[in-house]
Amino acid sequence: MSASPAPKPKPATTSTARAATHVFTISEVLRELQNEFPDLTASKLRFLEERDLVEPARTASGYRKYCAADVERLRFILALQRDRYMPLDVIKQTMDAIDSGETAEALPQAAPVGPREVTEEMAAQITGRIRPMSRKELRAHSGATRGMLDTLEKFRIIQADSDGNYSHHDLKAVKAVRVLARYGLEPKHLVNIRRSADNELDLISRAMAPHAARKDTAARARVAESSKEMLQCLKDLRASIMDTSVEQLDKN
């Protein structure tokens, strides 16, 4: 009996090979990444392109064509922004360094960037973000009295929406106020914090005014992302100033 012929080699059309050569439309990129990054939109993808963080090819008709490397680059950028809280200008410097073969100083050496582990506390926070709380639920979750909530609303530390519900931001604020109360700080002492927040919001609003005047989708995405970036920088600046002052207490 003659030996059976050797099996013919399979053509290089495995799922891995197809994935490496597949060209993604912008809607396919969204489907690929939105499970990990639910807030990702087409406007944000266009915004990241405007910031030179990704450069998809274009068809003759002008449609964007993302390759697999572009998608992985986007995943990496979005993870840096979400998990490392890195502002876009720092991410841009990091990506430029990687692209040129240098070591990116801003990128931590250990722990590769990837999806976050979701703890029970984080899951609760996420649930809170999705579903607004009634006043009764806010009291139950925070342990605050009716009088405290009334005072915090009076000083605009918390604010109910048009339906009378509160967000996870309000819950976080009430919990912080309760901790500060242990040190003798009452809600009326925190009025200056509200004023300071208003001043920072005014700075952001003024900086974004030229862009906010435009009504196209890309402009709105640019305003939203830039406002978040400015807010994070202001937080970092304020924290740095206060940390320096507090550390002096140990030296005096």
Side-chain angles (χ1 to χ4, degrees), residues 10-191:
K10 294 181 178 180
T13 56
T14 63
S15 58
T16 302
R18 284 196 299 270
T21 58
H22 181 66
V23 174
F24 297 80
T25 64
I26 196 166
S27 60
E28 288 174 326
V29 172
L30 290 174
R31 285 197 295 270
E32 184 77 16
L33 297 176
Q34 277 181 330
N35 283 339
E36 293 177 63
F37 308 97
D39 294 333
L40 183 62
T41 63
S43 296
K44 181 162 185 176
L45 289 178
R46 288 190 284 269
F47 175 72
L48 293 176
E49 183 181 346
E50 286 183 11
R51 295 293 292 266
D52 295 325
L53 285 162
V54 64
E55 297 181 27
R58 297 273 186 158
T59 66
S61 303
Y63 292 104
R64 293 169 176 81
K65 298 191 301 182
Y66 295 85
C67 65
D70 291 329
V71 175
E72 289 308 307
R73 183 183 180 92
L74 284 166
R75 179 179 279 113
F76 185 71
I77 290 167
L78 293 167
L80 286 178
Q81 190 177 33
R82 181 196 64 189
D83 300 340
R84 308 291 188 198
Y85 305 102
M86 290 171 65
L88 286 180
D89 59 340
V90 177
I91 294 177
K92 179 65 167 63
Q93 295 170 11
T94 300
M95 300 309 296
D96 287 345
I98 292 173
D99 291 342
S100 62
E102 300 173 4
T103 300
E105 295 180 1
L107 189 62
Q109 294 291 327
V113 176
R116 292 171 294 182
E117 293 183 3
V118 180
T119 63
E120 290 185 5
E121 181 179 358
M122 286 177 64
Q125 290 176 350
I126 292 170
T127 301
R129 289 188 181 96
I130 294 172
R131 186 179 64 81
M133 291 167 282
S134 66
R135 187 180 176 89
K136 182 177 180 180
E137 289 172 320
L138 179 61
R139 284 189 59 212
H141 290 312
S142 66
T145 63
R146 290 190 181 91
M148 175 176 277
L149 294 186
D150 288 341
T151 303
L152 292 179
E153 285 191 306
K154 175 183 176 182
F155 295 124
R156 296 190 303 118
I157 303 296
I158 62 172
Q159 291 178 301
D161 62 20
S162 58
D163 296 321
N165 292 322
Y166 301 84
S167 72
H168 70 286
H169 297 297
D170 296 308
L171 175 60
K172 189 175 181 179
V174 176
K175 286 183 175 180
V177 170
R178 291 201 67 214
V179 172
L180 291 172
R182 299 175 194 165
Y183 299 95
L185 294 180
E186 300 177 12
K188 65 182 180 181
H189 298 140
L190 307 178
V191 174

